[in-house]
Amino acid sequence: MKKGASFEQAYNAQAAVDSAHQVNVVQALTNQPPDAEHLPALVDRVAAWPPTSKKCLGS
């Protein structure tokens, strides 16, 4: 990420938590500075939670 005239290695992390159980249900990590553009994809992933595939559930 740009810091003044130089660049600094940094990351943006986004997470969504199930408020009833305090469990992290969706997460994302990127090296892109503006995190606002990642919100729609995160919201879509939350809307699709929980996964219905047994493979996703580890069964």
Side-chain angles (χ1 to χ4, degrees):
M1 291 183 196
K2 192 164 184 173
K3 183 177 181 183
S6 63
F7 286 88
E8 183 174 294
Q9 184 174 354
Y11 299 94
N12 260 331
Q14 296 82 30
V17 177
D18 176 346
S19 62
H21 301 97
Q22 296 298 302
V23 176
N24 186 359
V25 294
V26 178
Q27 62 279 335
L29 182 65
T30 179
N31 62 353
Q32 302 299 313
D35 57 356
E37 63 192 40
H38 301 288
L39 181 62
L42 193 71
V43 170
D44 290 343
R45 290 174 61 198
V46 169
W49 185 261
T52 55
S53 169
K54 288 184 179 182
K55 184 176 182 181
C56 290
L57 296 174
S59 299

